[in-house]
Amino acid sequence: MIFLQASTSPGSTDNSGGPGGLGGPGGPGGPGPGPAPAPAPAPGPGPGPEPGESPAVTGAAYGMLFVLGVALGVVGGFEHAWYAGDVPIAAIMWLPVLFAVPYAMGRLIGGKTGALVPAGGWMLVSFFLASKRAEGDLVIAANSAGYWYLYGGVAALVLAIMVTRSRGSWLLRH
């Protein structure tokens, strides 16, 4: 004998299944209506996080922002020393980029942390590339291009972090 069970919502304990079912009239539980169906959940946001706001997604977003900052530092460290005459044009052109990227990421994430994370990745790589190795090699030299790139870049990053509006973390919103 095959019993068919009516589909119920998750968490429901309704096993009535109707005639031939598990708990309704004609079933093994004898005659009777069976247990009452579970009440429908209340409309509106539930107690859990909304889609896209889990801690894993937040961590992945901040991790990718850090990788973006590292990529900016590596590319900028090797490409900042182009000159037009005596003017370090590439280092100066990096300054709006170093302002715009953290500012935009902070606005997209919704807080200063979104601007701080790529800035930290850039600073970590840039100052590592500016440090002298035991062999005497370094990538960002102590010349006008290096000074514009490092010190102007830090000023651009600090300014971007300062002017980014903070709406609070999207991880903590209800």
Side-chain angles (χ1 to χ4, degrees), residues 86-104:
D86 289 335
V87 178
I89 193 73
I92 294 171
M93 293 303 292
W94 268 101
L95 300 181
V97 172
L98 291 174
F99 172 82
V101 169
Y103 178 73

Side-chain angles (χ1 to χ4, degrees), residues 99 102-103 112 115-116 155-166:
F99 172 82
Y103 178 73
K112 292 186 183 291
L116 185 65
L157 294 173
V158 168
L159 183 62
I161 294 167
M162 287 175 50
V163 300
T164 300
R165 284 186 265 143
S166 182

